[in-house]
């Protein structure tokens, strides 16, 4: 496949045929009008953050992997009603408090409507926290890999790539050219559905910590050799996100490059898009990705060239992002409470629904919580990326859709296909299939699935609560009460640990 760059840093810009530019509308450029309303950077006290997150309540955790994540992120609300995301570092990270504060302050000066702006930090004792704007509409990973209603449309994928390139260029132009562990979980969507780059990646996990926490199959070759991040490493990681956008899956770069070299690049395109994308645009994005993923750093394009190439690919420039994503423009933010988030499916609300045997409420909560209680560490290695894996993930997506639409017989069938694949393990799938069995008046099967969810995640209260419901349907009242109490004890322990 030919290069889309005549030399490093020069993009061979696609032809700007008027027929390919919708209504001749120019793509949106970064601006500072929204940034003016962002609070100035400040240092918070630990007590202020504790109050904002209601005691760092586990029900307010919004990061992937929940409490098991290396760096936990909480949703919180400040005294002035500003919604924030509060990232907690491990106690062993950033032992030098002043160095941490100086680094945070530097990142906090980089302001743009293309990034999630950092508005503060906290460093009391050995505690280290960052405070940023709260993004209410999930991550790119959620919209690409775990969608339930519909796949992300092609024009929105191109917009994500363009906005992300603009964000990286803005950071580079403002003295922050390095970004650590760039991946689909670092791209979040704001209240208008616009994608933004998380500011957290502008700082390492610690003074001397790892810059990449994902599977090594996705890290830049030079990082694997030296353990150091350079500007070109960020371009490599950007290439992996282009692959995500193309395929709707997290494909190892080596596998993608093999397909491209074998002139089989069309197999990279997400099957959900079918004919709803421009093959010419798809070819151009493949070419951009292949250049970003070059083994030698000097052979990769610079970020300015990426911005220019992606600007020419923008479509539907007059259509707001939230419309293309199919979400409300300004979703209401519920008040954070001591027992959890209203409407967010907190464990306390789940316990109450299970106590009432309210299967409809249990279903609503499981739909809303999605896969937030699953570990985010199930990365797919090159060896695991097979047709069987793709079929298995598609089965889970079909199961999620059936579960959402309350077609419980089909949900059981599709989730069973996923489970029998045997490569990935998900307690949430077992919990969902357990409820589907309950809805189908199959308490024995429901109990087995809830027990399996407990086996995978022994400290997950949801698994115990579902067992309680199944046991009660089997007229085993004492056992049901015991399971309900065990779940409540686990939930109380999680709250006390925070």
């Amino acid at each position: 496949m030919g290069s889309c760059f005549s030399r490093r840093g020069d993009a061979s810009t696609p032809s700007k045929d008027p027929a390919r530019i919708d209504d001749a509308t120019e793509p949106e450029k970064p601006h500072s009008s929204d940034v003016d309303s962002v609070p100035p950077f400040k240092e918070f006290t630990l007590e202020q953050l504790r109050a904002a997150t209601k005691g760092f309540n586990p029900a307010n955790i919004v990061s992937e992997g929940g409490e098991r994540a290396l760096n936990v992120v909480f949703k919180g609300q400040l005294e002035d009603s500003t919604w924030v995301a509060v990232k907690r570092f491990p106690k062993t990270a950033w032992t030098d408090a002043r160095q941490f504060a100086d680094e945070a302050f530097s990142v906090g000066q980089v302001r743009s409507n293309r990034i999630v702006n950092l508005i503060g930090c906290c460093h009391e004792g050995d505690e280290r926290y960052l405070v940023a704007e709260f993004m209410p509409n999930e991550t790119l990973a959620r919209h690409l890999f775990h969608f339930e209603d519909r796949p992300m449309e092609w024009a929105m994928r191109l917009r994500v790539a363009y906005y992300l390139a603009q964000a990286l260029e803005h950071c580079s132009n403002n003295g922050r050219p390095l970004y650590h562990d760039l991946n689909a979980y670092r791209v979040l969507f704001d209240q208008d559905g616009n994608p933004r780059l998380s500011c957290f990646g502008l700082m390492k996990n610690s003074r001397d910590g790892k810059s990449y926490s994902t599977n090594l199959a996705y890290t830049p070759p030079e990082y694997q050799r030296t353990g150091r991040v350079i500007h070109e490493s960020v371009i490599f990681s950007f290439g992996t996100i282009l692959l995500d956008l193309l395929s709707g899956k997290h494909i190892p770069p080596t596998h993608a490059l093999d397909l491209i070299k074998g002139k089989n690049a069309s197999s990279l395109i997400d099957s959900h898009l079918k004919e709803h994308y421009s093959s010419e645009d798809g070819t151009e994005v493949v070419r951009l990705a292949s250049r970003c993923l070059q083994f030698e750093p000097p052979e990769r394009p610079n970020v300015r060239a990426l911005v220019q190439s992606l600007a020419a690919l923008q479509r539907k420039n007059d259509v707001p992002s939230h419309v293309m994503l199919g979400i409300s423009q300004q979703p209401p933010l519920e008040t954070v409470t001591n027992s959890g988030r209203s409407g967010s499916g907190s464990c306390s609300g789940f316990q109450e629904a299970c106590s009432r045997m309210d299967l409809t409420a249990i279903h609503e909560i499981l739909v809303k919580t999605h896969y937030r209680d699953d570990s985010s560490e199930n990365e797919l290695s090159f060896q695991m990326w097979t047709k069987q894996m793709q079929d298995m993930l598609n089965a889970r997506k079909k199961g999620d859709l059936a579960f959402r639409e309350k077609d419980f017989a089909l949900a059981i069938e599709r989730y069973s296909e996923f489970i029998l694949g045997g490569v990935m393990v998900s307690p949430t799938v077992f919990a969902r299939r357990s409820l589907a069995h309950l809805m189908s008046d199959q308490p024995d099967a429901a109990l087995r699935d809830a027990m399996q969810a407990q086996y995978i995640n022994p400290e997950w209260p949801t698994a115990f609560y579902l067992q309680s419901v199944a046991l009660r349907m089997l007229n085993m009242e004492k056992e049901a009460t015991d399971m309900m109490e065990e779940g409540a004890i686990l939930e109380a322990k999680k709250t006390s640990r925070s």
Side-chain angles (χ1 to χ4, degrees):
M1 175 166 291
S3 169
C4 62
F5 296 94
S6 56
R7 63 181 182 275
R8 180 174 178 265
D10 259 345
S12 57
T13 306
S15 171
K16 294 187 179 181
D17 184 337
R20 298 179 66 231
I21 305 295
D22 296 351
D23 300 328
T25 305
E26 290 295 321
E28 183 183 351
K29 294 180 173 59
H31 54 81
S32 60
S33 59
D34 294 334
V35 179
D36 293 339
S37 63
V38 177
F41 186 91
K42 63 175 288 187
E43 292 190 6
F44 291 89
T45 66
L46 185 59
E47 187 56 38
Q48 286 176 312
L49 298 187
R50 185 176 286 115
T53 59
K54 301 302 178 185
F56 300 107
N57 193 315
N60 295 325
I61 293 176
V62 293
S63 50
E64 298 290 336
E67 288 182 294
R68 296 185 298 279
L70 178 64
N71 301 298
V72 180
V73 180
F74 297 85
K75 174 183 176 181
Q77 190 175 27
L78 302 178
E79 290 181 349
D80 63 359
S81 298
T82 300
W83 290 95
V84 293
V86 181
K87 178 176 181 176
R88 180 173 67 193
F89 286 86
K91 294 184 183 297
T92 55
W94 291 99
T95 53
D96 188 324
R98 180 40 54 190
Q99 189 175 49
F100 170 79
D102 290 345
E103 180 77 356
F105 178 81
S106 177
V107 172
Q109 304 314 299
V110 182
R111 296 294 174 99
S112 171
N113 65 334
R114 291 290 182 264
I115 67 173
V116 181
N117 295 288
L118 188 67
I119 62 175
C121 69
C122 173
H123 53 92
E124 289 188 15
D126 58 0
E127 298 285 352
R128 305 286 184 267
Y129 292 87
L130 294 177
V131 184
E133 296 176 291
F134 179 72
M135 299 290 108
N137 285 312
E138 302 288 352
T139 65
L140 176 61
R142 169 71 182 274
H143 287 284
L144 272 183
F145 309 144
H146 308 301
F147 67 87
E148 291 191 337
D149 289 332
R150 64 184 187 185
M152 184 182 293
E153 65 174 273
W154 179 243
M156 188 64 202
R157 299 184 195 210
L158 293 174
R159 183 173 296 180
V160 169
Y162 179 51
Y163 280 25
L164 180 55
Q166 288 182 321
L168 293 173
E169 183 183 33
H170 177 81
C171 293
S172 182
N173 291 342
N174 285 271
R176 308 296 304 193
L178 301 185
Y179 194 93
H180 306 280
D181 205 11
L182 176 61
N183 58 62
Y185 292 96
R186 298 282 196 175
V187 181
L188 302 102
F189 292 86
D190 63 20
Q191 68 274 10
D192 298 318
N194 288 320
R196 296 205 197 188
L197 177 65
S198 170
C199 59
F200 294 152
L202 293 171
M203 291 181 65
K204 287 185 179 182
N205 287 335
S206 65
R207 167 67 173 79
D208 300 307
K210 294 193 304 180
S211 292
Y212 286 84
S213 61
T214 54
N215 189 305
L216 287 178
Y218 304 92
T219 57
E222 63 276 8
Y223 179 77
Q224 298 183 41
R225 294 195 303 265
T226 67
R228 292 181 61 249
V229 176
I230 58 178
H231 180 59
E232 290 82 2
S233 305
V234 182
I235 302 300
F236 184 94
S237 297
F238 183 82
T240 67
I241 290 187
L242 289 180
L243 291 181
D244 294 344
L245 292 166
L246 279 165
S247 65
K249 307 178 184 73
H250 200 29
I251 299 179
T254 51
H255 180 57
L257 289 173
D258 286 343
L259 291 174
I260 294 171
K261 291 175 183 177
K263 300 186 184 301
N264 194 26
S266 60
S267 63
L268 288 172
I269 304 298
D270 191 343
S271 59
H272 292 98
L273 293 173
K274 296 180 180 178
E275 72 278 5
H276 301 297
Y277 78 100
S278 162
S279 58
E280 184 179 353
D281 290 352
T283 298
E284 180 63 19
V285 176
V286 168
R287 295 171 68 189
L288 286 172
S290 68
R291 293 302 299 158
C292 292
L293 297 172
Q294 290 300 299
F295 185 83
E296 295 297 335
E299 296 180 4
R300 301 169 197 160
N302 61 39
V303 70
R304 175 89 285 256
L306 291 173
V307 170
Q308 291 173 345
S309 294
L310 290 165
L313 295 176
Q314 295 309 294
R315 307 288 176 259
K316 296 188 176 182
N317 297 318
D318 56 338
V319 180
S321 295
H322 71 91
V323 174
M324 285 199 277
L325 280 179
I327 60 176
S328 301
Q329 184 172 14
Q330 293 182 328
L333 293 174
E334 303 87 351
T335 301
V336 176
T337 66
N338 286 312
S339 61
R341 290 173 293 170
S342 173
S344 69
S346 70
C347 288
S348 294
F350 195 80
Q351 178 187 6
E352 181 182 352
C354 289
S355 298
R356 300 196 314 266
M357 301 284 287
D358 188 342
L359 301 187
T360 299
I362 294 172
H363 173 259
E364 290 177 356
I365 293 172
L366 287 178
V367 167
K368 290 176 181 177
T369 54
H370 203 62
Y371 287 89
R372 65 173 288 225
D373 290 313
D374 279 15
S375 170
S376 62
E377 298 172 358
N378 279 321
E379 298 287 353
L380 310 181
S381 68
F382 171 72
Q383 292 78 10
M384 291 167 60
W385 192 260
T386 62
K387 185 176 185 301
Q388 179 187 8
M389 171 62 73
Q390 297 178 50
D391 291 343
M392 189 177 67
L393 290 174
N394 286 334
R396 191 180 76 173
K397 285 184 178 180
K398 292 176 182 177
D400 290 339
L401 181 59
F403 185 80
R404 183 185 183 92
E405 297 300 321
K406 301 182 181 180
D407 187 344
F408 297 112
L410 182 58
I412 291 171
E413 181 181 340
R414 295 295 180 244
Y415 284 144
S416 297
E417 291 178 16
F418 172 83
I419 291 168
L420 290 173
V423 180
M424 295 177 67
V425 179
S426 167
T428 297
V429 167
F430 279 103
R432 287 181 165 214
R433 194 174 72 168
S434 175
L435 179 63
H437 283 305
L438 289 172
M439 289 289 197
S440 304
D441 197 23
Q442 300 169 356
D444 286 307
L447 179 60
R448 287 193 296 270
D449 276 352
M451 292 173 67
Q452 188 62 36
Q454 177 195 344
Y455 176 77
I456 298 169
N457 188 349
E459 296 189 353
W460 191 29
T462 295
F464 290 83
Y465 294 148
L466 285 172
Q467 288 180 63
S468 175
V469 176
L471 288 166
R472 187 160 293 154
M473 290 183 70
L474 291 167
N475 296 317
M476 301 173 68
E477 292 294 334
K478 181 180 183 303
E479 292 83 353
T481 300
D482 290 343
M483 279 295 161
M484 185 66 68
E485 291 179 355
E486 286 192 47
I489 290 171
L490 285 174
E491 192 170 355
K493 284 182 179 179
K494 289 177 67 176
T495 302
S496 65
R497 284 200 299 266
S498 66

